[in-house]
Amino acid sequence: EEEEEKEKKSGGDGAAAVAEERGEWGRKHEERLEKILATVTLDRPYILASEDESISEKFEKLCEKNTSKVDEGKFQCVQCSKLFKGSDFVSKHLRKVHAELFQAA
């Protein structure tokens, strides 16, 4: 009963005040996020598209050059010495991890 009397005395706007306070917090939060996002620059990763035949040939040559066969069923990336079960896995690795090799070509 005491809470009802307090609410009546304050005009019954308790819920509205809470909503307004949350709205203010949300607005300030959005402003802070906008400031942060305005200062951050992220470059999209470069992924080689292999539709063009000449690009595809260059891609294969670079992959062969940077792949070493260690043993039967064992291949190694020349750039970082990581081991793989197949040469196609090394090619995929080179394309994703060492993309800078393909950007120069």
Side-chain angles (χ1 to χ4, degrees):
E1 290 178 24
E2 291 178 21
E3 289 179 20
E4 288 177 16
E5 289 178 27
K6 287 181 183 178
E7 192 172 315
K8 286 180 185 177
K9 288 180 183 177
S10 68
D13 291 338
V18 170
E20 184 177 317
E21 185 177 314
R22 286 183 183 164
E24 179 68 19
W25 178 88
R27 186 180 59 74
K28 287 183 179 179
H29 180 69
E30 290 294 325
E31 288 174 2
R32 287 190 297 268
L33 286 175
E34 289 296 324
K35 286 180 185 177
I36 291 169
L37 292 174
T39 61
V40 175
T41 57
L42 298 174
D43 296 332
R44 289 189 163 272
Y46 179 80
I47 298 176
L48 180 69
S50 59
E51 291 95 26
D52 188 15
E53 193 62 36
S54 62
I55 292 175
S56 183
E57 289 172 9
K58 288 179 185 178
F59 176 76
E60 287 178 24
K61 287 178 185 176
L62 275 169
C63 288
E64 287 175 14
K65 180 181 167 187
N66 289 290
T67 302
S68 171
K69 186 171 182 177
V70 178
D71 199 9
E72 189 62 37
K74 263 191 179 176
F75 296 86
Q76 186 175 31
C77 171
V78 174
Q79 296 295 315
C80 66
S81 302
K82 188 171 180 177
L83 294 171
F84 297 90
K85 290 183 178 182
S87 62
D88 52 330
F89 294 111
V90 181
S91 298
K92 184 177 178 182
H93 164 78
L94 287 166
R95 194 168 131 200
K96 291 174 82 177
V97 178
H98 305 293
E100 70 279 357
L101 296 171
F102 301 101
Q103 288 176 351

